[in-house]
Amino acid sequence: MAVRQLPDHLINLIAAGEVVERPASVIKELVENAIDAGARQIDIITAKGGKELMRVEDDGIGMGPAELALAICRHTTSKLPDDDLVRIESLGFRGEALASIGSVARLRIASRPIGSDEAYEITVEGGEASEPRPVALNQGTHVEVRDLFYATPARLKFLKSDRSESMAVTEVVKRLAMSHPGIGFTLSGPDRSRTVYAAQHDSEGVINRLSQIMGRGFGENSVPVLAGREGLKLTGFVGLPTLTKANSLSQFFFVNGRPVRDKVLLGGVRGAYADFLHRDRYPMLALFLEVDASEVDVNVHPAKSEVRFRDAGLVRGMIVGTLKQVLAEAGFRASNTVGEATLAAFQPEQAAGDYQPRFGQGYSTPFQPGEFARPLDMPVPPTGFGEPQNSYEAAAVDQGFAPSGRVEPTSITPFEAEASEDFPLGAARAQVHENYIIAQTQDGLIIVDQHAAHERIVYERFKAHLAQGDVPAQGHLIPVIVELPEEDCARLEDGADALNKLGLELDRFGPGAVAVHKTPALLGNVDAHKLVRDIADELAEWETLSTLEERLHAVASTMACHGSIRSGRRMQAVEMNQLLRDMEATPNSGQCNHGRPTYVELKLPDIERLFGRR
Ligand code: ADP
Ligand code: MG
């Protein structure tokens, strides 16, 4: 067979295979074109999930008749004026979207360019374009796509149900709307309910738009990010560590305004939150990275959802560093969704409204704007590290490992207030079920999980000492011999140097045993057997962590659990108040090392509502 040049319509069909996968990809291309055209308002209509009809109307710069005729050809674009693929500042640049769409669907474009009072339209069917003809239209462009894949039944079969296609369109519009709050969007049609994203014009615009899309809970329980260095700028909002999901679908990334899924960015976030979250929880966030156009390659894939950074290490480092700092500044704040969930659980059933507790997900139930929403706005106290100057730690350890599930008649231990309610976490009033401290604040009450809270405090002390390279150790006169499976002994032996940095000194004691000479002083009189066995388990997972710091923190987190006040231990008033004060002074104390909250707060009006007083 002879080699031959393929006819144009075939080339377009082949290209369309990459660019136009489903209705959502058409919507993406058309809305990106509207954004590139400087539109202030973009209206999107779909029918049957976009299979039957898609229409995108904008009020952008428009096109004259000659441009219209060119725009639908392949490799025609107005967006690479200097032939420079290295600096791409627009969303489009490949010049193949309209040509591809025209080859697989019935396409009609009407447009009136800025400054002209004539509008023209052009139609394309089966790759054949009509001559431009006059039409009535205000400034801007209307693009209509009907009967997607009508000429290629094989592709049609791959499309999902109208409902799934319609949802995929919604997702695409959501993402583009998130990164362009200044533009108004509507999304409507017979296959959906109407969504309106009003154009935002003030400084709150970004968070308003994000809250509308990600839920009001995100607006109230996230902190702003703003950082810049070496040609990189990072902005956006990240959720507090207590506002998490079981998958990464609520993590949105944008590079130069372009929605992307990217391993470098996902990895950076993971690193930043490693300290706060269990590995299977994902914080909600929306991050916008602006990179000098020459530092990032957006031309990796026709759908343009992947990017390649010239210096991936720099980008990752910036994300980890910035987010860690922002989260540390957020201090001990726990998200108010925790209080929400609590309240909802208290609600008598008929009053529970829309809230559906999902017990499997614990506190992180997807937040729906509820009527109890209220920002915590607590003053963030100065962060600092108090040494364990108080009796509660030593006492905790003396008590050994009291069983946590002990069943006893409800025991309330009331006592006179010793501390003032002026403190953010108030004055301890009682301990219930030997695990929860009830404190009264000026305008509400706080319930603290004593074990979780103390564990976080011990962990933060570890980190502070680790940073200074002086984790205090406590020697044992007679070494404690711990017997373990051989592979655990080997791991402990390998990790001995690192463990030394954490105040744990051990060495091999013949086959199947290690000798423990020193344990971290922060843990008090710890049970060395249990401690070492747990650490051996932790070491087995070390390979999944990349840096020594991450590894040390993971071990410190395991250690902290051993040195913490157990649930099931009775506490004195002074101890409880001291714990509250320590929490206020400890960074990140709003959640335990596994991302669970350490306290919940109920405001007086919320309590009054529970009793129908409001
Ligand atoms: P690209 O966006 O990669 O340039 P397209 O095939 O999507 O390629 O569009 C081709 C050209 O048509 C664009 O470069 C632009 O000049 C013009 N165009 C497309 N859509 C619009 C629109 N909504 N408003 C104004 N011009 C448009
Ligand atoms: Mg385009």
Side-chain angles (χ1 to χ4, degrees):
M1 259 185 268
V3 175
R4 64 173 182 125
Q5 171 76 45
L6 295 176
D8 269 357
H9 77 269
L10 214 54
I11 295 178
N12 283 339
L13 261 181
I14 292 169
E18 291 185 307
V19 182
V20 184
E21 192 198 339
R22 59 195 300 193
S25 31
V26 173
I27 292 291
K28 173 172 183 291
E29 294 296 334
L30 299 183
V31 174
E32 284 185 356
N33 279 349
I35 294 172
D36 282 345
R40 306 317 317 155
Q41 177 65 38
I42 301 176
D43 299 307
I44 305 145
I45 293 168
T46 62
K48 296 216 155 117
K51 295 175 195 168
E52 184 182 275
L53 168 77
M54 291 175 270
R55 190 184 298 143
V56 175
E57 305 181 354
D58 71 57
D59 56 359
I61 54 171
M63 289 172 275
E67 285 172 289
L68 262 181
L70 257 183
I72 49 144
C73 298
R74 195 165 149 72
H75 302 312
T76 50
T77 178
S78 55
K79 300 172 192 173
L80 292 176
D82 313 319
D83 291 346
D84 189 352
L85 259 190
V86 175
R87 339 194 111 260
I88 291 167
E89 318 240 321
S90 51
L91 293 172
F93 61 88
R94 300 172 59 104
E96 55 187 10
L98 293 181
S100 301
I101 295 167
S103 72
V104 293
R106 298 182 222 276
L107 172 67
R108 193 173 73 88
I109 310 175
S111 193
R112 176 161 133 192
I114 192 163
S116 159
D117 38 41
E118 286 170 41
Y120 286 83
E121 77 165 13
I122 195 168
T123 51
V124 189
E125 268 193 38
E128 290 295 313
S130 72
E131 287 297 313
R133 53 183 175 270
V135 68
L137 190 78
N138 288 330
Q139 189 210 311
T141 304
H142 291 192
V143 183
E144 193 178 280
V145 179
R146 285 185 179 275
D147 306 327
L148 181 65
F149 298 142
Y150 74 98
T152 47
R155 309 259 350 226
L156 198 53
K157 271 193 230 138
F158 279 101
L159 294 184
K160 305 216 173 80
S161 68
D162 292 1
R163 203 179 124 74
S164 332
E165 294 302 341
S166 145
M167 272 162 43
V169 168
T170 311
E171 283 301 311
V172 160
V173 173
K174 241 163 73 171
R175 282 181 169 73
L176 288 166
M178 287 170 95
S179 57
H180 297 87
I183 302 177
F185 292 84
T186 64
L187 175 57
S188 59
D191 57 348
R192 60 177 73 247
S193 55
R194 186 178 162 85
T195 306
V196 178
Y197 299 126
Q200 303 288 321
H201 298 298
D202 58 10
S203 59
E204 302 282 283
V206 176
I207 189 63
N208 286 347
R209 178 63 63 85
L210 292 179
S211 302
Q212 195 187 346
I213 294 173
M214 298 171 70
R216 211 173 85 207
F218 181 71
E220 289 168 354
N221 296 294
S222 60
V223 283
V225 174
L226 174 62
R229 71 156 94 128
E230 297 169 61
L232 295 177
K233 186 175 164 210
L234 184 67
T235 60
F237 288 81
V238 296
L240 294 174
T242 37
L243 184 71
T244 64
K245 298 265 173 152
N247 58 43
S248 63
L249 294 181
S250 290
Q251 305 196 328
F252 299 95
F253 298 100
F254 303 85
V255 174
N256 296 348
R258 198 185 288 282
V260 297
R261 301 275 330 139
D262 180 83
K263 286 214 187 77
V264 175
L265 304 178
L266 281 164
V269 164
R270 187 136 279 241
Y273 279 83
D275 228 24
F276 305 100
L277 287 184
H278 205 253
R279 262 163 259 167
D280 58 3
R281 301 301 307 179
Y282 297 82
M284 294 177 73
L285 48 87
L287 285 176
F288 304 90
L289 186 65
E290 274 161 60
V291 197
D292 194 77
S294 60
E295 294 289 310
V296 61
D297 186 358
V298 291
N299 192 17
V300 181
H301 184 268
K304 298 168 291 188
S305 58
E306 285 170 38
V307 291
R308 203 167 286 146
F309 297 108
R310 201 174 60 81
D311 188 346
L314 184 69
V315 172
R316 185 183 195 277
M318 163 144 176
I319 291 186
V320 176
T322 308
L323 298 198
K324 272 193 169 171
Q325 191 191 338
V326 163
L327 292 171
E329 280 164 9
F332 68 106
R333 232 180 109 191
S335 79
N336 73 5
T337 52
V338 174
E340 298 273 329
T342 316
L343 276 168
F346 269 129
Q347 293 282 303
E349 243 165 78
Q350 72 276 18
D354 288 332
Y355 180 79
Q356 295 158 353
R358 291 214 215 137
F359 297 109
Q361 297 199 8
Y363 292 104
S364 311
T365 41
F367 173 86
Q368 287 305 319
E371 53 174 327
F372 298 112
R374 180 184 319 282
L376 269 180
D377 56 27
M378 272 183 185
V380 176
T383 54
F385 288 93
E387 278 310 302
Q389 67 280 69
N390 288 289
S391 59
Y392 63 74
E393 291 175 312
V397 180
D398 288 343
Q399 297 262 334
F401 297 87
S404 54
R406 193 193 302 169
V407 184
E408 262 181 28
T410 309
S411 54
I412 299 188
T413 325
F415 50 85
E416 289 306 304
E418 307 239 346
S420 157
E421 289 158 15
D422 296 338
F423 289 112
L425 294 179
R429 290 287 189 210
Q431 182 193 29
V432 296
H433 287 293
E434 283 151 4
N435 189 39
Y436 302 101
I437 299 169
I438 312 289
Q440 179 172 331
T441 60
Q442 270 185 351
D443 58 351
L445 70 85
I446 304 260
I447 307 173
V448 175
D449 177 332
Q450 65 189 42
H451 173 71
H454 190 232
E455 181 178 331
R456 185 78 208 188
I457 291 169
V458 175
Y459 175 52
E460 291 295 336
R461 284 187 182 137
F462 260 114
K463 283 200 301 178
H465 280 292
L466 206 50
Q468 292 162 15
D470 68 341
V471 182
Q474 174 177 309
H476 296 263
L477 280 179
I478 308 165
V480 182
I481 309 303
V482 182
E483 293 185 1
L484 295 139
E486 188 46 36
E487 64 270 22
D488 282 345
C489 292
R491 279 195 197 102
L492 287 164
E493 207 178 0
D494 285 350
D497 283 347
L499 295 176
N500 227 333
K501 294 193 203 315
L502 286 164
L504 181 67
E505 200 183 302
L506 47 75
D507 54 21
R508 167 72 81 162
F509 192 74
V514 294
V516 181
H517 302 282
K518 286 183 182 170
T519 49
L522 292 173
L523 304 182
N525 295 325
V526 70
D527 179 332
H529 294 271
K530 285 189 175 156
L531 177 70
V532 169
R533 289 204 184 100
D534 270 9
I535 289 174
D537 287 346
E538 180 62 46
L539 296 190
E541 291 183 25
W542 263 25
E543 293 96 72
T544 62
L545 303 173
S546 48
T547 67
L548 177 65
E549 191 195 25
E550 280 173 348
R551 292 175 172 187
L552 290 176
H553 283 181
V555 175
S557 168
T558 302
M559 287 181 167
C561 183
H562 285 263
S564 303
I565 299 174
R566 293 279 124 187
S567 7
R569 187 172 79 75
R570 243 173 239 195
M571 289 175 80
Q572 301 304 312
V574 252
E575 292 181 283
M576 289 192 239
N577 279 312
Q578 189 54 51
L579 182 64
L580 297 177
R581 303 294 79 83
D582 285 350
M583 285 173 74
E584 288 157 0
T586 301
N588 316 319
S589 62
Q591 56 279 317
C592 77
N593 307 348
H594 312 294
R596 289 190 297 272
T598 54
Y599 72 88
V600 295
E601 180 180 35
L602 298 180
K603 296 280 192 191
L604 261 184
D606 297 333
I607 299 172
E608 286 166 0
R609 262 199 205 102
L610 283 175
F611 291 100
R613 281 169 168 259
R614 285 192 162 220

